[in-house]
């Protein structure tokens, strides 16, 4: 039994995430549709921010997840910080963050993140983390520390947290929501049917309950947000059903983007959705009652996050 546990916690590289069964899909090295083409990052602001973030020993989900918008966002002077290290305790078949037994526990990380937010002059900072099922509070205390530190060092900056599901536990969630982040974001990522394939260790309805509880705890002071990907084999009607469940759980802001396969060892892309289909998803989401929706091939949860706030919340 001990030997089996040790195998579970051996760190896997990004090229060998594990937990992703082989399924049929698009070839990994095929030419992507033209609407997925983006320029390679490398502008002066991008290089400056990359150097500053590396010098602080910080992590960004922009880099860890190979986000296609990293060049654009960093040139605009925005970034999404990933706290609690870069090793995740779960093994989602689509994610490029490495999996294993985390060792990161820096009590000064919240201050260093807040200092970088201040240096960058951000108006809207997004804070996310790897899953930390190994910690007693699942990492909630680190989110609390970052929110407080940003509020002290950069009081004019809005704070969005993109949290794990905290295993559905109320107390870790309550600790984070008590700090009144401007936006509480937790991504469901895909439709319920695909969870056993793509998100083993997670549960769609547990995630929606976390979002509902966050809204109940935060009230009007906290905007709730979630995001999904397409391209893993879901159908249009399944996406609409997922939207409806999210609205029933009081989610206000929605993002939808195209899944892009990080490596050959990750889940393949079943198909590339056309921009017209994203437009149809966006129209349907607004009809269902979301206050703000961003749907497009290159949309990611934190892409132009400051523009996704409902007008009344932004005010």
């Amino acid at each position: 039994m001990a030997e089996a546990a040790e195998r579970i916690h051996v760190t896997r590289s990004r090229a060998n995430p594990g937990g992703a069964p082989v399924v049929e899909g698009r070839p990994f090295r095929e030419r992507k549709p033209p609407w997925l083409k983006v320029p390679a990052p490398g502008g002066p602001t991008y290089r400056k921010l990359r150097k500053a973030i590396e010098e602080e020993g910080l992590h960004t989900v922009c880099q860890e997840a190979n986000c296609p918008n990293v060049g654009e966002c960093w040139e605009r002077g925005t970034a999404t910080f990933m706290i609690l290290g870069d090793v995740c305790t779960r093994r989602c078949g689509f994610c490029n963050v490495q999996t294993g037994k985390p060792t990161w526990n820096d009590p000064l990380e919240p201050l260093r993140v807040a200092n970088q937010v201040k240096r960058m002059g951000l108006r809207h900072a997004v804070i996310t983390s790897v899953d930390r099922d190994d910690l007693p509070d699942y990492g909630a205390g680190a989110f609390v520390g970052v929110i407080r530190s940003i509020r002290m060092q950069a009081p004019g900056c809005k704070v969005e947290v993109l949290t794990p599901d905290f295993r559905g536990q109320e107390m870790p969630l309550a600790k984070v929501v008590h700090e009144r982040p401007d936006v509480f974001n937790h991504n469901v990522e895909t439709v319920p049917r695909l969870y056993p394939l793509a998100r083993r260790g997670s549960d769609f309805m547990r995630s929606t309950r976390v979002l509902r509880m966050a809204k109940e705890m935060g009230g009007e002071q906290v905007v709730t947000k979630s995001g999904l990907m397409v391209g893993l084999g879901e159908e249009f009607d399944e996406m609409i059903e997922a939207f409806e469940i999210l609205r029933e759980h009081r989610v206000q802001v929605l993002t939808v983007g195209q899944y892009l396969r990080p490596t050959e060892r990750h889940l393949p892309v079943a198909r590339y959705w056309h921009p017209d289909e994203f437009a149809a998803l966006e129209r349907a989401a607004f009809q269902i009652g979301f206050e703000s929706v961003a749907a497009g091939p290159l949309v990611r949860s934190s892409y132009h996050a400051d523009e996704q706030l409902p007008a009344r919340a932004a005010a």
Side-chain angles (χ1 to χ4, degrees):
M1 183 67 71
E3 182 181 350
E6 183 67 23
R7 285 200 303 271
I8 291 174
H9 291 298
V10 170
T11 299
R12 293 172 174 83
S13 70
R14 291 171 179 79
N16 185 18
V22 177
V23 294
E24 293 298 322
R26 308 295 305 180
F28 177 63
R29 301 192 184 280
E30 72 172 344
R31 185 181 298 273
K32 293 181 175 62
W35 57 81
L36 291 173
K37 302 296 184 181
V38 293
T45 305
Y46 168 84
R47 293 195 299 270
K48 178 182 175 182
L49 292 181
R50 179 176 179 177
K51 181 180 179 181
I53 289 169
E54 289 175 350
E55 287 176 349
E56 286 283 350
L58 300 174
H59 302 282
T60 68
V61 75
C62 320
Q63 297 163 297
E64 301 297 333
N66 285 349
C67 179
N69 304 309
V70 61
E72 177 187 354
C73 291
W74 284 25
E75 284 300 318
R76 292 175 69 236
T78 64
T80 299
F81 296 93
M82 189 168 75
I83 60 175
L84 293 169
D86 61 349
V87 179
C88 187
T89 54
R90 299 190 196 176
R91 293 183 295 164
C92 295
F94 55 82
C95 183
N96 199 45
V97 176
Q98 61 186 334
T99 299
K101 185 174 182 179
T103 57
W104 185 262
N105 185 23
D106 180 3
L108 296 180
E109 184 177 47
L111 291 173
R112 293 190 295 106
V113 170
N115 180 59
Q116 191 64 34
V117 168
K118 181 180 180 179
R119 288 174 59 187
M120 291 171 66
L122 299 186
R123 301 190 313 272
H124 187 111
V126 182
I127 311 300
T128 190
S129 80
V130 291
D131 279 285
R132 289 300 300 266
D133 297 325
D134 59 310
L135 298 176
D137 69 349
Y138 306 111
F143 279 97
V144 170
V146 173
I147 295 170
R148 290 179 178 176
S149 297
I150 292 175
R151 292 268 161 80
M152 287 189 296
Q153 296 198 43
C157 180
K158 291 188 179 297
V159 181
E160 175 174 333
V161 294
L162 172 53
T163 76
D165 61 13
F166 301 128
R167 307 299 295 180
Q169 298 298 308
E170 288 191 30
M171 288 308 296
L173 176 64
K175 288 171 62 175
V176 176
V177 177
H178 179 73
E179 300 300 318
R180 294 299 185 266
D182 297 283
V183 181
F184 179 89
N185 186 356
H186 172 64
N187 289 334
V188 295
E189 303 289 11
T190 189
V191 299
R193 177 177 60 85
L194 294 176
Y195 260 62
L197 176 70
R199 298 206 73 193
R200 291 194 288 178
S202 301
D203 179 82
F204 183 88
M205 293 311 298
R206 181 171 71 193
S207 287
T208 57
R209 287 193 297 271
V210 166
L211 288 157
R212 187 192 68 233
M213 288 190 294
K215 187 59 183 175
E216 291 172 350
M217 293 173 182
E220 292 302 310
Q221 292 179 280
V222 176
V223 172
T224 49
K225 175 180 174 181
S226 190
L228 296 96
M229 301 176 294
V230 297
L232 289 169
E234 65 295 311
E235 299 294 336
F236 187 91
D237 289 346
E238 288 182 297
M239 293 293 292
I240 302 305
E241 290 172 3
F243 293 176
E244 291 172 343
I245 295 172
L246 288 171
R247 273 304 296 150
E248 290 169 2
H249 286 74
R250 304 183 65 184
V251 175
Q252 298 164 265
V253 179
L254 180 70
T255 60
V256 186
Q258 172 71 53
Y259 166 61
L260 298 176
R261 188 181 188 183
T263 75
E264 291 183 89
R265 299 303 301 271
H266 287 81
L267 289 172
V269 175
R271 74 179 181 94
Y272 296 106
W273 285 49
H274 190 275
D276 291 345
E277 294 178 287
F278 283 101
L281 288 172
E282 186 169 301
R283 289 193 299 270
F286 274 121
Q287 291 172 358
I288 290 169
F290 288 96
E291 297 177 39
S292 179
V293 182
L298 294 174
V299 168
R300 296 295 181 266
S301 181
S302 303
Y303 182 59
H304 291 191
D306 55 330
E307 299 173 3
Q308 295 167 8
L309 270 175
R312 61 183 178 82

